[in-house]
Amino acid sequence: MSVGWIIAIVIIVLIVLLIALVLGTYNSLVRLDERVNEAWSDITVQLKYRADLIPNVVETVKGYAKHEKSAFEDVTKARSAVMGAKDVKSAAEAERSLEGALSKIFAIAEAYPELKANTNFQQLQLQLQDVEDKIQAARRFYNAGAKDLNTKIKMFPSNIINNMFGHFKKREYFEVPESEKATIEKAPEVKFE
């Protein structure tokens, strides 16, 4: 075998390896992007389920607390905002609003012992808690996928391949707003008197 043939074989092997690297990297970006899309879909499914439960909770509480109209209106507005959210940031803001409105509803329920004892209300409350747990898990799954994708987009050689194809975009995280971080980071005080 002549030197020319050896050089040609080496060049062909290098080209095949380069193509394999590009294809493998691109496919891993596609896989991560789809994982983030799936996680976002899981979040929206849970939000929809929660939004479907909320009118039942509101109607049950309304039967006992007819004079608490503003709290019910707040829940309805917040529910509509969650259902209309199109991206991570607007969904996170709408969810915080809904959580605040729901806490008002449950505070109202605390004032009515016969409502707290109502089996239907208790079941709705348990279902809502279950959905909240699933939403939290879906957020964590989404954030993990977003982290993996964002990291991969920045790393070499993925960053070059992404720039060549320009297809994959950095994803936002579900995060606690700055205004709430101070409250979360501060340890709770427990006092016994």
Side-chain angles (χ1 to χ4, degrees), residues 10 14-15 21 23 28 52 58 65 70 75 82-83 85 87 92 96 116-117 131 134 161 180-181:
V10 169
L14 288 175
I15 290 172
L21 175 70
L23 290 175
S28 68
D52 291 345
V58 168
S70 67
V75 170
V82 168
M83 295 305 295
D87 61 7
R96 279 189 294 281
K116 285 176 32 179
V131 170
K134 288 177 180 173
I161 293 166
E180 293 179 26
K181 283 185 179 179

Side-chain angles (χ1 to χ4, degrees), residues 1 3-17:
M1 222 187 253
V3 174
W5 279 104
I6 293 174
I7 292 174
I9 291 172
V10 169
I11 290 173
I12 290 171
V13 167
L14 288 175
I15 290 172
V16 168
L17 287 175

Side-chain angles (χ1 to χ4, degrees), residues 23-166:
L23 290 175
T25 302
Y26 183 81
N27 287 340
S28 68
L29 285 168
V30 168
R31 194 171 21 262
L32 288 172
D33 190 53
E34 284 305 309
R35 186 181 308 153
V36 174
N37 290 339
E38 175 191 16
W40 178 248
S41 177
D42 288 348
I43 289 171
T44 58
V45 165
Q46 294 302 326
L47 292 176
K48 170 83 170 93
Y49 182 61
R50 178 175 68 182
D52 291 345
L53 273 176
I54 288 172
N56 295 329
V57 173
V58 168
E59 288 304 315
T60 303
V61 176
K62 264 186 186 180
Y64 288 88
K66 295 184 185 333
H67 62 282
E68 303 287 351
K69 186 177 178 183
S70 67
F72 303 126
E73 289 172 352
D74 291 347
V75 170
T76 303
K77 287 179 198 171
R79 178 181 175 265
S80 295
V82 168
M83 295 305 295
K86 300 294 183 207
D87 61 7
V88 175
K89 186 175 182 177
S90 62
E93 289 172 7
E95 278 203 50
R96 279 189 294 281
S97 174
L98 181 60
E99 288 169 2
L102 282 174
S103 67
K104 289 179 190 175
I105 293 290
F106 288 117
I108 291 169
E110 289 293 320
Y112 294 87
E114 64 277 3
L115 173 60
K116 285 176 32 179
N118 180 302
T119 307
N120 188 32
F121 180 72
Q122 289 173 347
Q123 288 174 341
L124 289 170
Q125 213 172 4
L126 288 173
Q127 286 177 336
L128 205 52
Q129 182 58 49
D130 183 52
V131 170
E132 292 297 328
D133 292 343
K134 288 177 180 173
I135 289 170
Q136 292 301 323
R139 284 180 187 157
R140 285 190 298 275
F141 184 68
Y142 172 86
N143 281 343
K147 179 190 76 118
D148 292 344
L149 179 63
N150 292 346
T151 302
K152 185 86 170 180
I153 287 172
K154 292 177 185 177
M155 291 177 62
F156 179 82
S158 304
N159 60 349
I160 294 171
I161 293 166
N162 188 42
N163 288 335
M164 287 172 33
F165 296 106

